[in-house]
Amino acid sequence: MTFTKKQTQVRLEEDVPEAGKAAARARRLDFNRYVERLIIEDTTGTRAAGMAAAQRLIDEHGEFLDDLEQQLDAPFEQRQPGAAA
């Protein structure tokens, strides 16, 4: 099965394209694929489903995650400013 691509021009605020390119690089995607993926996720409900799942995780296990974060941060909080590591 072959897919045809359609070129589309958009106008964005000056700093938006560079922010998008940085986000694409962080995900190891080219900019076009990144934008395509954002549109697909937004229009198919995939993004909403992922956000809902994340919210359920926080709702169900938020207290545990907060406690875990405090335990993991505790050794770093005990160090004195300027002390050698």
Side-chain angles (χ1 to χ4, degrees), residues 31-49:
F31 182 66
N32 288 324
R33 180 67 182 128
Y34 173 70
V35 171
E36 183 178 53
R37 185 185 258 181
L38 285 176
I39 293 169
I40 290 168
E41 289 174 356
D42 189 47
T43 59
T44 63
T46 304
R47 181 173 177 78

Side-chain angles (χ1 to χ4, degrees), residues 10 20 29-31 37 39 41-42 49 53 56-57 61 65 76:
V10 296
L29 298 170
D30 67 52
F31 182 66
R37 185 185 258 181
I39 293 169
E41 289 174 356
D42 189 47
R56 282 192 307 276
L57 178 74
H61 305 287
L65 295 171
F76 300 105

Side-chain angles (χ1 to χ4, degrees), residues 6 9 11-12 15-16 25 28 34-35 41 43 45 49-50 52-54 64 70 73 82:
K6 178 176 171 119
Q9 183 176 357
R11 295 181 192 277
L12 304 169
D15 57 339
V16 172
R25 281 191 301 273
R28 297 183 180 178
Y34 173 70
V35 171
E41 289 174 356
T43 59
F64 169 78
Q70 287 178 351
D73 287 344

Side-chain angles (χ1 to χ4, degrees), residues 7 13-14 17 21-23 26 42 45 56 58 69-70 76 79:
Q7 184 170 335
E13 294 293 329
E14 190 173 322
K21 289 175 184 177
D42 189 47
R56 282 192 307 276
I58 291 168
E69 183 177 26
Q70 287 178 351
F76 300 105
R79 290 188 183 163

